[in-house]
Amino acid sequence: MPEAPHPTSLLETLEAITGPAGLLRGADAAPMLADWRSLYQGAALAVLRPGSTEELSACVKACVAAGVPMVPQGGNTSMVGGATPDESGRQIVIALTRMNRVRSIDTTDMTMVVEAGLVLKTAQDVAREAGALFPLSLGAEGSATIGGVLSTNAGGNTTVRYGNARELMLGLECVMPDGTIWNGLRRLRKDNTGYALRHLMVGAEGTLGFITAAALRLFPLPREEAVALCAVADEAAALALFRRFRDQDEGAVRAFEYMSGGSMHLVLDHVPGVSLPLAERAQHYVLVDLASSRPQAGLRGLLESVLEAAMEAGEVLDAALAESVAQRAAIWKLREEHPEGQKRAGASVKNDVSVPVSAVPEMIRRCSEALQKLIPGSRPVPFGHLGDGNIHMNLAQPPGMAAAEFLARSHDIMDCVNEIVRDYGGSFSAEHGIGRLKTDMMEDWRGGAELAAMQAIKAALDPLGLMNPGKVLP
Ligand code: FAD
Ligand code: 2HG
Ligand code: ZN
């Protein structure tokens, strides 16, 4: 191993590769050193922003020669501290946000090749302008990048219909941990040619290298859309309503989201510019989103007939059907503001868990009871993607308790939820990943052959351990 150059000369080398626009320090770098949830405050030598795959490759080679650990970053919206450097000040954050070009789009192949730093919302807009749909959708889509959503295998609101980010990816271009460029940007629907490196990189949270570009799947644009917000009797009624829609027309369900009254009311009470389109507040809500690319799909009729039957059965108590694009957006805003509502209302602890969809109602009830027993006065505020079994089983602090006192119990709270989730064969991290927050849970949940294989893969691809150290693996 060559002798490590002094950090100052490394930064000079890096600046020479990227130009001055590619190297941020001091106040310019500060926003990239803390995470969205304010769980971690890191420090770094600098934030590097290469402008191309070739520049990134050269930068990685320089960092490897200097033995400097690298932390990939996209929109910095990680819920688990995955993109935040540690406190040592010896790591370098490499943000791909300047690498944001659309390289090609083809509506016969229904594919689009984009660079990793492209913001998800921009990718959706570019596809729509070309007459196609890129269906991944999540609350952070105005900041999250394609590289970030692939590296976390993000789920979001449309997993029930289109799958997670992984299912939307056909091929990748990457810079590997030694700086080698791998061009696997194949746009094929079928490609069984040995181990699928592309699938290792998806969900690796930057621990196996950098995703620099991706070939993505596109879909036909919907011709009809219908959205409703419903007050439902309880969690079981929410599930029963999901089954009614799925049984009538599974292909029409684009999203099916559950929101507890506790969580909805934090949104209504703390987020400006939202209002409840129902006569009164309820204990449980569901957002149903139907979409079809078929002409005359009759979604409005489907929505009305299913809701009418569910009302007769006592499952749905009240419903507001969106009459315009603006009303659809207003209903979706009520759902998307749940993370913000919880943030504004005080301290909360997140539990991004999944169970088989049939177990969701019982899991929510059991967790809510157990959490209230664990921390008297605390408020369970669950919400999430009921259609795919992923619920954010979050807990808001008791009013009046000091935030620090409540947050000191974070691990007890997560353990309490996770032990119940385990009973259903569920997962302790459904869509947000492991990052730094959950590495200590890996041994317990994935120990044995699975973790050993992950460690062997990490050692093979990143033998120096310079890619996002301290993340994912214990
Ligand atoms: P970052 O936060 O910058 O990074 C995330 C991880 O990926 C880090 O480990 C980082 O090192 C790595 N990484 C980033 N870019 C690259 C790259 N190019 N190559 C290699 N590694 C890279 N997630 C969901 O799944 N569903 C949701 O519904 C959802 N809603 C959210 C709502 C809000 C308000 C917020 C703040 C977050 C939400 N998330 C959700 C979390 C989600 O993981 C991120 O929004 C998104 O996937 C991360 O994208 P990003 O570009 O911000 O990545
Ligand atoms: C969502 O579904 C995100 O809105 C965030 O995954 C979840 O804040 C959370 O717990
Ligand atoms: Zn979510």
Side-chain angles (χ1 to χ4, degrees):
M1 177 112 181
E3 197 181 323
H6 188 268
T8 308
S9 75
L10 172 67
L11 294 185
E12 281 164 8
T13 306
L14 295 173
E15 192 166 13
I17 296 167
T18 63
L23 195 73
L24 305 181
R25 274 178 279 188
D28 292 340
M32 284 77 123
L33 304 182
D35 67 308
W36 189 86
R37 291 177 61 185
S38 308
L39 294 177
Y40 304 106
Q41 176 60 62
L45 286 175
V47 173
L48 189 63
R49 299 195 309 149
S52 69
T53 303
E54 290 70 26
E55 278 186 21
L56 174 61
S57 164
C59 290
V60 170
K61 285 176 183 165
C63 290
V64 169
V68 168
M70 296 162 277
V71 180
Q73 193 175 95
N76 198 18
T77 64
S78 170
M79 286 284 185
V80 288
T84 309
D86 68 12
E87 295 79 18
S88 69
R90 289 202 293 267
Q91 304 186 330
I92 191 152
V93 173
I94 305 191
L96 277 78
T97 41
R98 284 174 70 216
M99 295 171 54
N100 59 1
R101 287 165 283 262
V102 177
R103 293 196 189 163
S104 67
I105 184 158
D106 187 319
T107 53
T108 302
D109 293 336
M110 290 302 251
T111 58
M112 145 166 110
V113 176
V114 304
E115 293 183 350
L118 189 72
V119 168
L120 173 56
K121 173 79 171 59
T122 312
Q124 296 166 352
D125 292 346
V126 167
R128 193 176 306 105
E129 279 156 28
L133 174 75
F134 182 61
L136 190 70
S137 168
L138 39 95
E141 63 197 22
S143 310
T145 61
I146 293 299
V149 297
L150 287 169
S151 296
T152 54
N153 188 24
N157 305 323
T158 55
T159 299
V160 64
R161 168 93 154 257
Y162 297 101
N164 292 337
R166 182 188 303 286
E167 278 83 37
L168 304 172
M169 179 277 307
L170 295 170
L172 293 180
E173 177 193 85
C174 296
V175 169
M176 303 309 287
D178 65 355
T180 308
I181 298 174
W182 167 56
N183 187 341
L185 276 177
R186 297 182 281 267
R187 298 180 295 131
L188 308 172
R189 306 285 159 151
K190 290 189 164 182
D191 178 26
N192 289 346
T193 49
Y195 303 153
L197 183 53
R198 63 190 185 282
H199 285 302
L200 271 183
M201 302 302 288
V202 171
E205 301 182 43
T207 59
L208 298 179
F210 294 85
I211 295 175
T212 53
L216 302 172
R217 289 176 68 189
L218 300 176
F219 295 81
L221 274 174
R223 288 192 170 87
E224 268 186 39
E225 293 167 279
V227 171
L229 181 73
C230 312
V232 295
D234 53 20
E235 300 91 340
L239 178 62
L241 186 61
F242 173 61
R243 286 201 58 173
R244 284 180 187 275
F245 279 104
R246 200 187 53 188
D247 293 349
Q248 284 295 312
D249 189 349
E250 183 179 18
V253 180
R254 180 167 59 184
F256 196 93
E257 299 281 309
Y258 168 78
M259 292 155 281
S260 62
S263 189
M264 179 68 98
H265 303 151
L266 293 185
V267 175
L268 293 168
D269 294 342
H270 295 277
V271 178
V274 293
S275 64
L276 187 68
L278 301 171
E280 53 188 53
R281 292 186 175 196
Q283 286 308 306
H284 306 273
Y285 302 88
V286 152
L287 187 162
V288 190
D289 183 312
L290 307 178
S292 176
S293 58
R294 277 185 290 129
Q296 281 112 43
L299 295 183
R300 176 70 184 210
L302 174 69
L303 195 56
E304 284 174 0
S305 68
V306 170
L307 290 179
E308 204 178 299
M311 275 184 170
E312 275 168 25
E315 292 157 9
V316 171
L317 309 174
D318 191 8
L321 279 58
E323 303 290 349
S324 63
V325 174
Q327 286 183 8
R328 282 210 299 269
I331 288 177
W332 263 112
K333 184 171 165 63
L334 272 176
R335 160 62 184 88
E336 293 295 34
E337 294 291 359
H338 281 246
E340 188 62 31
Q342 295 187 5
K343 199 176 185 182
R344 286 172 184 244
S348 62
V349 173
K350 295 185 189 301
N351 293 286
D352 168 37
V353 298
S354 59
V355 292
V357 76
S358 60
V360 166
E362 193 179 284
M363 183 274 288
I364 295 178
R365 273 201 309 277
R366 281 183 62 195
C367 288
S368 300
E369 280 169 27
L371 288 170
Q372 280 168 308
K373 226 186 242 169
L374 182 74
I375 306 206
S378 65
R379 294 157 297 161
V381 284
F383 69 100
H385 318 290
L386 171 55
D388 61 45
N390 172 200
I391 297 295
H392 302 297
M393 194 58 240
N394 299 351
L395 188 68
Q397 67 169 86
M401 188 189 244
E405 190 189 338
F406 176 69
L407 292 175
R409 306 291 308 276
S410 293
H411 277 264
D412 296 340
I413 292 167
M414 291 192 272
D415 289 348
C416 172
V417 168
N418 288 344
E419 284 318 309
I420 293 170
V421 163
R422 204 194 287 272
D423 287 346
Y424 303 100
S427 171
F428 68 104
S429 186
E431 60 172 6
H432 297 162
I434 303 299
R436 178 167 166 183
L437 183 66
K438 298 187 178 178
T439 50
D440 63 344
M441 300 176 193
M442 287 294 274
E443 183 67 51
D444 181 24
W445 284 79
R446 295 290 175 260
E450 204 171 354
L451 187 55
M454 289 189 215
Q455 281 161 335
I457 291 165
K458 171 76 174 170
L461 294 185
D462 180 23
L464 300 177
L466 295 179
M467 285 306 315
N468 217 0
K471 314 290 167 52
V472 181
L473 298 175

